[in-house]
Amino acid sequence: MKERLQYDYTTVGHVTIDVPADGSRRPGGSAFYAALQAARLGQRTLIVTQGVPREVEELLAPYGAELELRVIPARHTTTLLTAGWGPTRSQRVLAWAGAIERELRLDTRVLHLAPVARETPSRWHAPTAFVGLTPQGLMREWTAGGGEIALVAPDRSVERVAARCNALVLSRHERAPAAGLIQRGVDAGALVAITDESRPCTVLLGDGSRLQVEVPRVGEPLDDLGAGDVFAAALFVSLAAGTAVEGAVAYATAAAAVRMQGSGAGAIGDEAAIGRRLQAVAAGRA
């Protein structure tokens, strides 16, 4: 049965069970972090994911007042063993919910394709949506039985997904394997933002031009997990609202900084927190 839903912001991708070194279980995945950021920006937000419904619902229960959830049933929920920080972070796949093979019909202002483990569908119908893609999960490869994730060049079918998007966000560490995907997106007129930690964010535009947007230093970062997804959500919301590129990137950078100044998903900021960060940067106090 196909549903037609009306939302401001919809993420599609696996909500994961993240297992850190202490053995605890917490929600993760780009679809979760990006959706929570969008919700805290006042967006009516839906997550479309795949996994064991009861597991995913229990995992996201603390955020039930902020997010709506649709779970496509699967035998497993994607589970990742996670260790480290930033580009040195390592992850192992302990369980996989599988590819999202169902065609999705969504009525949403922003559609964010947010894969973590090669699951984004090639078939979706969202005729009025601004479509954003965070492609890292489409470049991941792992061996069975808990193999460590490695980045590989995406195949041609993934590049075709990029050609249907308005904007893409990825990191400098993903730029080389994603070269073909980036070019396909730019050729189709998409904006591509390439983050580089504290160094300037490179923005490639569909007209062949590029921008370098400075990234103010984050004083004492506590935790960066999900910061890239928060950046992407804030960027897509801003761009879809008609904000100029440099202003949208600055806003997304401030959202990521707020996230990094706290621990866990609870540190994801709202409009007020991001506004205070922008004011501090403008005043030279960041």
Side-chain angles (χ1 to χ4, degrees):
M1 177 179 175
K2 295 178 181 178
E3 297 181 45
R4 186 168 179 81
L5 303 172
Q6 187 171 3
Y7 292 91
D8 298 317
Y9 199 101
T10 299
T11 62
V12 178
H14 289 172
V15 172
T16 63
I17 300 171
D18 282 1
V19 182
D22 63 8
S24 60
R25 290 158 58 97
R26 60 190 182 189
S30 297
F32 166 63
Y33 282 107
L36 190 57
Q37 177 63 86
R40 292 183 178 174
L41 296 179
Q43 307 291 294
R44 184 181 177 215
T45 302
L46 170 71
I47 299 175
V48 179
T49 189
Q50 186 161 286
V52 179
R54 180 176 295 180
E55 282 187 337
V56 178
E57 289 162 5
E58 290 178 353
L59 202 62
L60 296 191
Y63 309 97
E66 299 181 86
L67 302 166
E68 294 191 45
L69 179 65
R70 175 184 169 195
V71 184
I72 301 169
R75 293 180 60 189
H76 305 285
T77 300
T78 295
T79 304
L80 303 176
L81 183 64
T82 301
W85 170 281
T88 65
R89 179 177 291 111
S90 65
Q91 293 184 307
R92 292 181 177 273
V93 178
L94 303 182
W96 186 51
I100 298 175
E101 298 179 344
R102 185 177 302 181
E103 180 179 0
L104 302 176
R105 302 183 67 85
L106 299 161
D107 188 1
T108 184
R109 190 170 64 88
V110 178
L111 172 61
H112 179 174
L113 303 174
V116 291
R118 306 185 75 90
E119 75 271 21
T120 294
S122 58
R123 296 178 298 155
W124 72 85
H125 184 71
T128 63
F130 176 101
V131 181
L133 171 65
T134 43
Q136 181 189 59
L138 299 179
M139 300 185 288
R140 287 176 159 181
E141 185 175 75
W142 63 93
T143 56
E148 187 168 337
I149 291 172
L151 284 179
V152 298
D155 58 32
R156 292 293 179 87
S157 65
V158 172
E159 292 183 6
R160 287 195 293 272
V161 172
R164 296 179 60 189
C165 296
N166 298 93
L168 292 78
V169 173
L170 62 160
S171 75
R172 175 178 63 87
H173 307 284
E174 297 153 8
R175 185 171 187 171
L181 179 147
I182 291 169
Q183 192 60 54
R184 188 71 178 267
V186 170
D187 288 346
L191 175 151
V192 180
I194 303 169
T195 62
D196 192 5
E197 300 172 46
S198 61
R199 290 174 283 275
C201 176
T202 300
V203 182
L204 309 178
L205 301 172
D207 63 5
S209 62
R210 68 174 60 201
L211 300 173
Q212 295 286 117
V213 182
E214 292 295 325
V215 176
R217 180 177 176 274
V218 179
E220 295 293 336
L222 296 179
D223 176 12
D224 72 339
L225 191 61
D229 307 313
V230 161
F231 175 98
L235 180 68
F236 297 158
V237 167
S238 296
L239 291 173
T243 304
V245 172
E246 289 191 69
V249 174
Y251 187 79
T253 298
V258 171
R259 163 67 191 90
M260 293 171 66
Q261 288 172 319
S263 297
I268 293 174
D270 58 12
E271 287 269 18
I274 296 169
R276 288 192 294 271
R277 169 69 184 180
L278 288 169
Q279 290 172 357
V281 169
R285 293 184 279 106

